[in-house]
Amino acid sequence: HQINNPLAIVMLTINKVRRSVPLSQEMIVHINSIEKESKRIAQALKDFSETRKYEVEQVGTMIGAMAVPERPE
């Protein structure tokens, strides 16, 4: 909830801005980008929360190690 709630506010604000403010083509591009990336974050969180088993994958140094969902074989 700590991330999804702010993302929901971002998405609602995007929809409100689209309906209530005339937008230049440049602003439309930026708003579409914000919406796309917000949806991507929400999907990544959903995927992560549905994963029941994780493996650790080395990424560069140990500082860069991260947990990734275990891939089915």
Side-chain angles (χ1 to χ4, degrees):
H1 297 305
Q2 295 297 322
I3 297 174
N4 278 323
N5 288 349
L7 279 176
I9 292 168
V10 169
M11 298 299 290
L12 289 170
T13 302
I14 286 170
N15 289 327
K16 185 175 182 178
V17 167
R18 280 190 176 134
R19 288 191 313 268
S20 60
V21 178
L23 299 172
S24 68
Q25 187 60 37
E26 182 182 7
M27 289 301 295
I28 291 170
V29 168
H30 290 300
I31 289 202
N32 288 344
S33 177
I34 292 167
E35 180 180 43
K36 177 184 171 189
E37 296 307 318
S38 296
K39 286 180 179 179
R40 191 170 67 91
I41 292 167
Q43 185 62 51
L45 288 170
K46 182 176 184 262
D47 293 346
F48 186 80
S49 71
E50 291 174 350
T51 302
R52 299 287 180 239
K53 192 172 180 183
Y54 299 91
E55 63 184 28
V56 176
E57 182 176 287
Q58 181 82 22
V59 180
T61 65
M62 278 307 287
I63 294 171
M66 60 186 234
V68 295
E70 184 176 59
R71 294 164 185 90
E73 294 186 38

